[in-house]
Amino acid sequence: EAQVTQNPRYLITVTGKKLTVTCSQNMNHEYMSWYRQDPGLGLRQIYYSMNVEVTDKGDVPEGYKVSRKEKRNFPLILESPSPNQTSLYFCASSLTLAGRNEQFFGPGTRLTVL
Amino acid sequence: SQKIEQNSEALNIQEGKTATLTCNYTNYSPAYLQWYRQDPGRGPVFLLLIRENEKEKRKERLKVTFDTTLKQSLFHITASQPADSATYLCALEGNNRLAFGKGNQVVVIP
């Protein structure tokens, strides 16, 4: 089944404790991205990757890191999480450029930073 | 600054009627525009993509129009059903990215 998976689905952590949210797709997609969704603010892009070893900032990259060492995986790293990073996070992938192709979204990761 | 505007008020509509949602944008020149459906706590699901040279696109009970002069897209759900209740997001292509509107909730009343 074609899908985007994220882990964990739910995470409660404390300020400053490094964490990684994994994202994997099995569709051989070139383009992957991370979004956060907050009430009243909608979906905002954090980082995106157009292919292996190619990453770029989105609208709200501060406090996040990403890497794309393999085509299928695109982990999101929070080196020192803060309470303002409490949010619902979605990973997405598409065949090529985001705007020109259907985006497949993961199920989401609900993160709470205390 | 760039803006994508969708109505923040929920659209309450009687079952069987046509729901129409609007997406207006400013300072974008998208070659592509997409619509997604999102249910609470779940990831958005792709519905339709329309190109700038297409005036209208249909898929089953869904219809999207794209007017680059007005900088507006309309999204229609005909013969609406309670199962159509969700939030609908428009998204615009630009600079290798997809920017989303905040979404418009639709509630279909049986």
Side-chain angles (χ1 to χ4, degrees):
Chain A
E1 181 192 353
Q3 60 181 346
V4 177
T5 56
Q6 296 178 228
N7 283 292
R9 294 289 314 281
Y10 302 90
L11 180 59
I12 300 174
T13 190
V14 296
T15 298
K17 186 176 180 183
K18 181 179 177 179
L19 67 92
T20 299
V21 184
T22 64
C23 172
S24 184
Q25 51 91 6
N26 62 0
M27 295 169 279
N28 202 34
H29 284 172
E30 290 183 353
Y31 189 100
M32 297 185 74
S33 60
W34 276 101
Y35 295 87
R36 60 178 289 174
Q37 189 171 38
D38 303 287
L41 296 177
L43 269 170
R44 294 178 294 166
Q45 192 178 48
I46 303 170
Y47 268 95
Y48 66 97
S49 169
M50 294 176 65
N51 216 322
V52 175
E53 302 291 0
V54 180
T55 63
D56 211 342
K57 296 177 181 178
D59 298 311
V60 288
E62 295 78 18
Y64 304 94
K65 284 175 57 176
V66 293
S67 68
R68 187 93 182 271
K69 294 187 172 63
E70 305 163 286
K71 200 169 187 180
R72 64 184 294 128
N73 297 323
F74 191 46
L76 179 70
I77 303 155
L78 284 72
E79 295 268 2
S80 183
S82 63
N84 65 11
Q85 292 179 299
T86 292
S87 188
L88 180 58
Y89 290 86
F90 291 104
C91 180
S93 73
S94 61
L95 190 59
T96 58
L97 289 176
R100 305 177 185 198
N101 296 276
E102 170 184 358
Q103 292 281 294
F104 291 80
F105 281 82
T109 295
R110 190 169 290 281
L111 172 65
T112 302
V113 183
L114 302 174
Chain B
S1 63
Q2 293 180 314
K3 286 184 186 176
I4 304 171
E5 294 177 307
Q6 296 186 254
N7 197 337
S8 58
E9 283 189 28
L11 175 65
N12 295 309
I13 190 161
Q14 207 69 34
E15 182 176 4
K17 301 291 187 184
T18 297
T20 298
L21 306 180
T22 304
C23 174
N24 294 305
Y25 58 91
T26 309
N27 292 326
Y28 282 95
S29 297
Y32 302 81
L33 187 147
Q34 302 182 22
W35 283 87
Y36 288 78
R37 170 187 172 135
Q38 187 175 24
D39 293 291
R42 306 192 71 168
V45 175
F46 172 80
L47 296 174
L48 283 163
L49 178 151
I50 186 166
R51 295 173 175 77
E52 61 179 340
N53 60 352
E54 297 175 313
K55 297 295 183 191
E56 182 180 297
K57 199 86 170 274
R58 291 176 186 260
K59 178 183 174 183
E60 297 172 355
R61 294 183 295 109
L62 307 179
K63 185 178 86 171
V64 170
T65 63
F66 189 12
D67 190 325
T68 55
T69 302
L70 290 179
K71 296 187 183 297
Q72 181 182 81
S73 175
L74 299 179
F75 176 81
H76 307 271
I77 308 172
T78 58
S80 58
Q81 303 167 0
D84 295 326
S85 297
T87 296
Y88 293 86
L89 311 171
C90 75
L92 305 183
E93 169 263 357
N95 297 324
N96 300 325
R97 294 160 51 191
L98 197 62
F100 284 83
K102 293 178 183 177
N104 194 178
Q105 186 183 9
V106 172
V107 178
V108 181
I109 304 160

